[in-house]
Amino acid sequence: MNCKSVQSRLSAYLDRELGGDELLQMRAHMSLCRECRCEAEGLRALKSLLGGIECPEPPADLPQRLTATVLRERCERPARTIRISALMFAGVTACSMLATLLVLNMGLGSHSEQTAGRGGSQSNVLEDRPFGGDFGSGPILSTANFGPR
């Protein structure tokens, strides 16, 4: 037996939970190994000290206090959850609005460059295309649609 296996089984050894062969192997190792013997003596002293401590009795009203605490936390939790959900919704909404604006600005910038190359005049795109026409040549709406007439 080596030190690692002995030290992992010291508690069982001191509590007399080991079988005959393992008990004899532990005793033989500890008779030769000073470190394991010291570890066993320290653990025995600790168990003795802890065995002499009295366990305090819980207060009589402990069940009622625990129940009240659990109920109070259950009542407070939904309000926190709703607040957190509302904040998350607001954040997601703001991010999607920002992304939409960025995409629209990128699209409008490229459309302005295209129309500038064709003479620089922007016409009302809706008037140029009949319903059901070719939508692949540019945006359906442009800034010209919303400017003063």
Side-chain angles (χ1 to χ4, degrees), residues 115-146:
T115 56
R118 288 187 276 171
S121 66
Q122 286 188 346
S123 63
N124 188 339
V125 177
L126 289 177
E127 292 175 6
D128 292 346
R129 295 190 189 124
F131 182 74
D134 179 26
F135 293 111
S137 61
I140 295 173
L141 296 174
S142 72
T143 54
N145 295 340
F146 301 104

PDB file of all heavy atoms in Angstrom, residues 115-146:
ATOM      1  N   THR A 115     -27.779  56.709 -59.362  1.00  0.00           N
ATOM      2  CA  THR A 115     -28.526  57.739 -60.066  1.00  0.00           C
ATOM      3  C   THR A 115     -27.622  58.910 -60.429  1.00  0.00           C
ATOM      4  O   THR A 115     -27.837  59.560 -61.437  1.00  0.00           O
ATOM      5  CB  THR A 115     -29.721  58.234 -59.234  1.00  0.00           C
ATOM      6  OG1 THR A 115     -29.240  58.676 -57.975  1.00  0.00           O
ATOM      7  CG2 THR A 115     -30.739  57.143 -59.071  1.00  0.00           C
ATOM      8  N   ALA A 116     -26.590  59.187 -59.621  1.00  0.00           N
ATOM      9  CA  ALA A 116     -25.650  60.256 -59.950  1.00  0.00           C
ATOM     10  C   ALA A 116     -24.890  59.906 -61.214  1.00  0.00           C
ATOM     11  O   ALA A 116     -24.572  60.766 -62.024  1.00  0.00           O
ATOM     12  CB  ALA A 116     -24.688  60.501 -58.791  1.00  0.00           C
ATOM     13  N   GLY A 117     -24.625  58.633 -61.430  1.00  0.00           N
ATOM     14  CA  GLY A 117     -23.929  58.200 -62.632  1.00  0.00           C
ATOM     15  C   GLY A 117     -24.804  58.309 -63.862  1.00  0.00           C
ATOM     16  O   GLY A 117     -24.324  58.351 -64.981  1.00  0.00           O
ATOM     17  N   ARG A 118     -26.143  58.379 -63.706  1.00  0.00           N
ATOM     18  CA  ARG A 118     -27.057  58.462 -64.847  1.00  0.00           C
ATOM     19  C   ARG A 118     -27.496  59.895 -65.115  1.00  0.00           C
ATOM     20  O   ARG A 118     -28.512  60.132 -65.723  1.00  0.00           O
ATOM     21  CB  ARG A 118     -28.293  57.607 -64.571  1.00  0.00           C
ATOM     22  CG  ARG A 118     -28.012  56.129 -64.646  1.00  0.00           C
ATOM     23  CD  ARG A 118     -29.282  55.350 -64.541  1.00  0.00           C
ATOM     24  NE  ARG A 118     -29.584  55.217 -63.105  1.00  0.00           N
ATOM     25  CZ  ARG A 118     -30.721  54.745 -62.642  1.00  0.00           C
ATOM     26  NH1 ARG A 118     -31.702  54.434 -63.442  1.00  0.00           N
ATOM     27  NH2 ARG A 118     -30.902  54.606 -61.349  1.00  0.00           N
ATOM     28  N   GLY A 119     -26.802  60.846 -64.587  1.00  0.00           N
ATOM     29  CA  GLY A 119     -27.172  62.218 -64.857  1.00  0.00           C
ATOM     30  C   GLY A 119     -27.504  62.976 -63.593  1.00  0.00           C
ATOM     31  O   GLY A 119     -27.718  64.170 -63.642  1.00  0.00           O
ATOM     32  N   GLY A 120     -27.596  62.310 -62.465  1.00  0.00           N
ATOM     33  CA  GLY A 120     -27.787  62.986 -61.196  1.00  0.00           C
ATOM     34  C   GLY A 120     -29.216  63.318 -60.855  1.00  0.00           C
ATOM     35  O   GLY A 120     -29.482  63.853 -59.805  1.00  0.00           O
ATOM     36  N   SER A 121     -30.184  63.033 -61.676  1.00  0.00           N
ATOM     37  CA  SER A 121     -31.568  63.373 -61.316  1.00  0.00           C
ATOM     38  C   SER A 121     -32.256  62.150 -60.750  1.00  0.00           C
ATOM     39  O   SER A 121     -32.155  61.063 -61.291  1.00  0.00           O
ATOM     40  CB  SER A 121     -32.319  63.866 -62.548  1.00  0.00           C
ATOM     41  OG  SER A 121     -32.441  62.816 -63.478  1.00  0.00           O
ATOM     42  N   GLN A 122     -32.925  62.348 -59.644  1.00  0.00           N
ATOM     43  CA  GLN A 122     -33.698  61.268 -59.045  1.00  0.00           C
ATOM     44  C   GLN A 122     -35.160  61.521 -59.349  1.00  0.00           C
ATOM     45  O   GLN A 122     -35.695  62.575 -59.015  1.00  0.00           O
ATOM     46  CB  GLN A 122     -33.506  61.221 -57.526  1.00  0.00           C
ATOM     47  CG  GLN A 122     -32.185  60.673 -57.106  1.00  0.00           C
ATOM     48  CD  GLN A 122     -32.167  60.492 -55.594  1.00  0.00           C
ATOM     49  OE1 GLN A 122     -33.010  61.004 -54.880  1.00  0.00           O
ATOM     50  NE2 GLN A 122     -31.190  59.746 -55.126  1.00  0.00           N
ATOM     51  N   SER A 123     -35.782  60.585 -59.987  1.00  0.00           N
ATOM     52  CA  SER A 123     -37.205  60.732 -60.261  1.00  0.00           C
ATOM     53  C   SER A 123     -37.988  59.940 -59.248  1.00  0.00           C
ATOM     54  O   SER A 123     -37.434  59.162 -58.492  1.00  0.00           O
ATOM     55  CB  SER A 123     -37.509  60.245 -61.678  1.00  0.00           C
ATOM     56  OG  SER A 123     -37.209  58.872 -61.766  1.00  0.00           O
ATOM     57  N   ASN A 124     -39.253  60.117 -59.251  1.00  0.00           N
ATOM     58  CA  ASN A 124     -40.111  59.362 -58.349  1.00  0.00           C
ATOM     59  C   ASN A 124     -40.146  57.933 -58.856  1.00  0.00           C
ATOM     60  O   ASN A 124     -40.699  57.651 -59.922  1.00  0.00           O
ATOM     61  CB  ASN A 124     -41.517  59.976 -58.323  1.00  0.00           C
ATOM     62  CG  ASN A 124     -42.376  59.347 -57.263  1.00  0.00           C
ATOM     63  OD1 ASN A 124     -42.106  58.243 -56.823  1.00  0.00           O
ATOM     64  ND2 ASN A 124     -43.410  60.056 -56.856  1.00  0.00           N
ATOM     65  N   VAL A 125     -39.546  57.021 -58.123  1.00  0.00           N
ATOM     66  CA  VAL A 125     -39.387  55.648 -58.559  1.00  0.00           C
ATOM     67  C   VAL A 125     -40.734  54.977 -58.723  1.00  0.00           C
ATOM     68  O   VAL A 125     -40.934  54.162 -59.605  1.00  0.00           O
ATOM     69  CB  VAL A 125     -38.486  54.863 -57.576  1.00  0.00           C
ATOM     70  CG1 VAL A 125     -38.359  53.424 -57.975  1.00  0.00           C
ATOM     71  CG2 VAL A 125     -37.134  55.517 -57.492  1.00  0.00           C
ATOM     72  N   LEU A 126     -41.705  55.330 -57.892  1.00  0.00           N
ATOM     73  CA  LEU A 126     -43.013  54.700 -57.990  1.00  0.00           C
ATOM     74  C   LEU A 126     -43.719  55.095 -59.281  1.00  0.00           C
ATOM     75  O   LEU A 126     -44.455  54.313 -59.859  1.00  0.00           O
ATOM     76  CB  LEU A 126     -43.878  55.082 -56.781  1.00  0.00           C
ATOM     77  CG  LEU A 126     -43.443  54.461 -55.462  1.00  0.00           C
ATOM     78  CD1 LEU A 126     -44.317  54.964 -54.342  1.00  0.00           C
ATOM     79  CD2 LEU A 126     -43.479  52.956 -55.522  1.00  0.00           C
ATOM     80  N   GLU A 127     -43.508  56.301 -59.751  1.00  0.00           N
ATOM     81  CA  GLU A 127     -44.144  56.730 -60.988  1.00  0.00           C
ATOM     82  C   GLU A 127     -43.498  56.077 -62.196  1.00  0.00           C
ATOM     83  O   GLU A 127     -44.126  55.905 -63.228  1.00  0.00           O
ATOM     84  CB  GLU A 127     -44.062  58.245 -61.113  1.00  0.00           C
ATOM     85  CG  GLU A 127     -44.898  58.968 -60.085  1.00  0.00           C
ATOM     86  CD  GLU A 127     -44.689  60.466 -60.157  1.00  0.00           C
ATOM     87  OE1 GLU A 127     -43.981  60.947 -61.071  1.00  0.00           O
ATOM     88  OE2 GLU A 127     -45.224  61.159 -59.278  1.00  0.00           O
ATOM     89  N   ASP A 128     -42.219  55.710 -62.097  1.00  0.00           N
ATOM     90  CA  ASP A 128     -41.505  55.116 -63.223  1.00  0.00           C
ATOM     91  C   ASP A 128     -41.898  53.665 -63.469  1.00  0.00           C
ATOM     92  O   ASP A 128     -41.671  53.157 -64.555  1.00  0.00           O
ATOM     93  CB  ASP A 128     -39.991  55.159 -62.984  1.00  0.00           C
ATOM     94  CG  ASP A 128     -39.454  56.581 -63.005  1.00  0.00           C
ATOM     95  OD1 ASP A 128     -40.190  57.469 -63.468  1.00  0.00           O
ATOM     96  OD2 ASP A 128     -38.309  56.777 -62.547  1.00  0.00           O
ATOM     97  N   ARG A 129     -42.470  52.989 -62.496  1.00  0.00           N
ATOM     98  CA  ARG A 129     -42.747  51.556 -62.623  1.00  0.00           C
ATOM     99  C   ARG A 129     -44.235  51.291 -62.463  1.00  0.00           C
ATOM    100  O   ARG A 129     -44.817  51.657 -61.452  1.00  0.00           O
ATOM    101  CB  ARG A 129     -41.995  50.785 -61.544  1.00  0.00           C
ATOM    102  CG  ARG A 129     -40.518  50.861 -61.698  1.00  0.00           C
ATOM    103  CD  ARG A 129     -39.868  49.881 -60.758  1.00  0.00           C
ATOM    104  NE  ARG A 129     -38.444  50.147 -60.800  1.00  0.00           N
ATOM    105  CZ  ARG A 129     -37.714  50.432 -59.754  1.00  0.00           C
ATOM    106  NH1 ARG A 129     -38.250  50.468 -58.576  1.00  0.00           N
ATOM    107  NH2 ARG A 129     -36.441  50.666 -59.873  1.00  0.00           N
ATOM    108  N   PRO A 130     -44.803  50.614 -63.375  1.00  0.00           N
ATOM    109  CA  PRO A 130     -46.201  50.215 -63.195  1.00  0.00           C
ATOM    110  C   PRO A 130     -46.286  49.084 -62.179  1.00  0.00           C
ATOM    111  O   PRO A 130     -45.295  48.415 -61.906  1.00  0.00           O
ATOM    112  CB  PRO A 130     -46.633  49.746 -64.582  1.00  0.00           C
ATOM    113  CG  PRO A 130     -45.369  49.342 -65.259  1.00  0.00           C
ATOM    114  CD  PRO A 130     -44.291  50.221 -64.686  1.00  0.00           C
ATOM    115  N   PHE A 131     -47.456  48.866 -61.642  1.00  0.00           N
ATOM    116  CA  PHE A 131     -47.653  47.793 -60.662  1.00  0.00           C
ATOM    117  C   PHE A 131     -47.277  46.471 -61.294  1.00  0.00           C
ATOM    118  O   PHE A 131     -47.717  46.148 -62.384  1.00  0.00           O
ATOM    119  CB  PHE A 131     -49.111  47.769 -60.188  1.00  0.00           C
ATOM    120  CG  PHE A 131     -49.373  46.726 -59.143  1.00  0.00           C
ATOM    121  CD1 PHE A 131     -48.922  46.916 -57.851  1.00  0.00           C
ATOM    122  CD2 PHE A 131     -50.041  45.558 -59.444  1.00  0.00           C
ATOM    123  CE1 PHE A 131     -49.148  45.968 -56.890  1.00  0.00           C
ATOM    124  CE2 PHE A 131     -50.262  44.613 -58.481  1.00  0.00           C
ATOM    125  CZ  PHE A 131     -49.819  44.821 -57.190  1.00  0.00           C
ATOM    126  N   GLY A 132     -46.466  45.709 -60.585  1.00  0.00           N
ATOM    127  CA  GLY A 132     -46.054  44.409 -61.077  1.00  0.00           C
ATOM    128  C   GLY A 132     -44.878  44.492 -62.033  1.00  0.00           C
ATOM    129  O   GLY A 132     -44.549  43.520 -62.675  1.00  0.00           O
ATOM    130  N   GLY A 133     -44.233  45.635 -62.113  1.00  0.00           N
ATOM    131  CA  GLY A 133     -43.111  45.809 -63.034  1.00  0.00           C
ATOM    132  C   GLY A 133     -41.842  45.196 -62.502  1.00  0.00           C
ATOM    133  O   GLY A 133     -41.846  44.445 -61.539  1.00  0.00           O
ATOM    134  N   ASP A 134     -40.744  45.532 -63.135  1.00  0.00           N
ATOM    135  CA  ASP A 134     -39.435  45.001 -62.769  1.00  0.00           C
ATOM    136  C   ASP A 134     -38.929  45.708 -61.524  1.00  0.00           C
ATOM    137  O   ASP A 134     -38.710  46.906 -61.537  1.00  0.00           O
ATOM    138  CB  ASP A 134     -38.457  45.219 -63.928  1.00  0.00           C
ATOM    139  CG  ASP A 134     -37.078  44.698 -63.591  1.00  0.00           C
ATOM    140  OD1 ASP A 134     -36.998  43.788 -62.745  1.00  0.00           O
ATOM    141  OD2 ASP A 134     -36.102  45.199 -64.173  1.00  0.00           O
ATOM    142  N   PHE A 135     -38.775  44.947 -60.440  1.00  0.00           N
ATOM    143  CA  PHE A 135     -38.313  45.538 -59.180  1.00  0.00           C
ATOM    144  C   PHE A 135     -36.823  45.310 -58.970  1.00  0.00           C
ATOM    145  O   PHE A 135     -36.284  45.675 -57.962  1.00  0.00           O
ATOM    146  CB  PHE A 135     -39.080  44.941 -57.988  1.00  0.00           C
ATOM    147  CG  PHE A 135     -40.526  45.313 -57.993  1.00  0.00           C
ATOM    148  CD1 PHE A 135     -41.496  44.366 -58.236  1.00  0.00           C
ATOM    149  CD2 PHE A 135     -40.918  46.610 -57.769  1.00  0.00           C
ATOM    150  CE1 PHE A 135     -42.823  44.706 -58.242  1.00  0.00           C
ATOM    151  CE2 PHE A 135     -42.249  46.957 -57.776  1.00  0.00           C
ATOM    152  CZ  PHE A 135     -43.209  46.016 -58.013  1.00  0.00           C
ATOM    153  N   GLY A 136     -36.135  44.713 -59.921  1.00  0.00           N
ATOM    154  CA  GLY A 136     -34.740  44.383 -59.730  1.00  0.00           C
ATOM    155  C   GLY A 136     -33.786  45.515 -60.034  1.00  0.00           C
ATOM    156  O   GLY A 136     -32.621  45.444 -59.712  1.00  0.00           O
ATOM    157  N   SER A 137     -34.228  46.603 -60.638  1.00  0.00           N
ATOM    158  CA  SER A 137     -33.298  47.631 -61.070  1.00  0.00           C
ATOM    159  C   SER A 137     -33.032  48.709 -60.042  1.00  0.00           C
ATOM    160  O   SER A 137     -32.227  49.583 -60.261  1.00  0.00           O
ATOM    161  CB  SER A 137     -33.810  48.285 -62.353  1.00  0.00           C
ATOM    162  OG  SER A 137     -35.060  48.887 -62.099  1.00  0.00           O
ATOM    163  N   GLY A 138     -33.704  48.728 -58.918  1.00  0.00           N
ATOM    164  CA  GLY A 138     -33.459  49.745 -57.909  1.00  0.00           C
ATOM    165  C   GLY A 138     -34.501  49.669 -56.810  1.00  0.00           C
ATOM    166  O   GLY A 138     -35.416  48.861 -56.877  1.00  0.00           O
ATOM    167  N   PRO A 139     -34.386  50.516 -55.819  1.00  0.00           N
ATOM    168  CA  PRO A 139     -35.340  50.458 -54.710  1.00  0.00           C
ATOM    169  C   PRO A 139     -36.707  50.950 -55.157  1.00  0.00           C
ATOM    170  O   PRO A 139     -36.819  51.790 -56.061  1.00  0.00           O
ATOM    171  CB  PRO A 139     -34.735  51.382 -53.662  1.00  0.00           C
ATOM    172  CG  PRO A 139     -33.833  52.284 -54.409  1.00  0.00           C
ATOM    173  CD  PRO A 139     -33.355  51.512 -55.590  1.00  0.00           C
ATOM    174  N   ILE A 140     -37.746  50.427 -54.543  1.00  0.00           N
ATOM    175  CA  ILE A 140     -39.111  50.834 -54.850  1.00  0.00           C
ATOM    176  C   ILE A 140     -39.350  52.239 -54.328  1.00  0.00           C
ATOM    177  O   ILE A 140     -39.988  53.053 -54.962  1.00  0.00           O
ATOM    178  CB  ILE A 140     -40.120  49.850 -54.231  1.00  0.00           C
ATOM    179  CG1 ILE A 140     -39.944  48.493 -54.895  1.00  0.00           C
ATOM    180  CG2 ILE A 140     -41.537  50.347 -54.400  1.00  0.00           C
ATOM    181  CD1 ILE A 140     -40.755  47.397 -54.280  1.00  0.00           C
ATOM    182  N   LEU A 141     -38.814  52.544 -53.167  1.00  0.00           N
ATOM    183  CA  LEU A 141     -38.957  53.860 -52.570  1.00  0.00           C
ATOM    184  C   LEU A 141     -37.613  54.553 -52.559  1.00  0.00           C
ATOM    185  O   LEU A 141     -36.583  53.925 -52.410  1.00  0.00           O
ATOM    186  CB  LEU A 141     -39.474  53.745 -51.131  1.00  0.00           C
ATOM    187  CG  LEU A 141     -40.860  53.158 -50.943  1.00  0.00           C
ATOM    188  CD1 LEU A 141     -41.140  52.996 -49.462  1.00  0.00           C
ATOM    189  CD2 LEU A 141     -41.909  54.015 -51.592  1.00  0.00           C
ATOM    190  N   SER A 142     -37.626  55.843 -52.712  1.00  0.00           N
ATOM    191  CA  SER A 142     -36.385  56.594 -52.593  1.00  0.00           C
ATOM    192  C   SER A 142     -36.649  57.855 -51.801  1.00  0.00           C
ATOM    193  O   SER A 142     -37.791  58.184 -51.503  1.00  0.00           O
ATOM    194  CB  SER A 142     -35.809  56.934 -53.974  1.00  0.00           C
ATOM    195  OG  SER A 142     -36.605  57.924 -54.580  1.00  0.00           O
ATOM    196  N   THR A 143     -35.592  58.592 -51.482  1.00  0.00           N
ATOM    197  CA  THR A 143     -35.756  59.832 -50.732  1.00  0.00           C
ATOM    198  C   THR A 143     -36.528  60.867 -51.538  1.00  0.00           C
ATOM    199  O   THR A 143     -37.137  61.764 -50.983  1.00  0.00           O
ATOM    200  CB  THR A 143     -34.390  60.407 -50.325  1.00  0.00           C
ATOM    201  OG1 THR A 143     -33.587  60.541 -51.478  1.00  0.00           O
ATOM    202  CG2 THR A 143     -33.723  59.500 -49.318  1.00  0.00           C
ATOM    203  N   ALA A 144     -36.535  60.723 -52.848  1.00  0.00           N
ATOM    204  CA  ALA A 144     -37.287  61.661 -53.699  1.00  0.00           C
ATOM    205  C   ALA A 144     -38.781  61.550 -53.431  1.00  0.00           C
ATOM    206  O   ALA A 144     -39.515  62.505 -53.598  1.00  0.00           O
ATOM    207  CB  ALA A 144     -36.989  61.399 -55.160  1.00  0.00           C
ATOM    208  N   ASN A 145     -39.241  60.388 -52.996  1.00  0.00           N
ATOM    209  CA  ASN A 145     -40.657  60.187 -52.718  1.00  0.00           C
ATOM    210  C   ASN A 145     -41.116  61.000 -51.521  1.00  0.00           C
ATOM    211  O   ASN A 145     -42.301  61.265 -51.362  1.00  0.00           O
ATOM    212  CB  ASN A 145     -40.968  58.718 -52.443  1.00  0.00           C
ATOM    213  CG  ASN A 145     -40.734  57.847 -53.640  1.00  0.00           C
ATOM    214  OD1 ASN A 145     -40.693  58.339 -54.766  1.00  0.00           O
ATOM    215  ND2 ASN A 145     -40.554  56.568 -53.411  1.00  0.00           N
ATOM    216  N   PHE A 146     -40.215  61.349 -50.626  1.00  0.00           N
ATOM    217  CA  PHE A 146     -40.599  61.991 -49.376  1.00  0.00           C
ATOM    218  C   PHE A 146     -40.198  63.452 -49.306  1.00  0.00           C
ATOM    219  O   PHE A 146     -40.452  64.108 -48.335  1.00  0.00           O
ATOM    220  CB  PHE A 146     -39.976  61.229 -48.189  1.00  0.00           C
ATOM    221  CG  PHE A 146     -40.404  59.798 -48.145  1.00  0.00           C
ATOM    222  CD1 PHE A 146     -39.546  58.783 -48.555  1.00  0.00           C
ATOM    223  CD2 PHE A 146     -41.687  59.468 -47.756  1.00  0.00           C
ATOM    224  CE1 PHE A 146     -39.959  57.464 -48.522  1.00  0.00           C
ATOM    225  CE2 PHE A 146     -42.092  58.143 -47.722  1.00  0.00           C
ATOM    226  CZ  PHE A 146     -41.236  57.135 -48.120  1.00  0.00           C
TER     227      PHE A 146
END
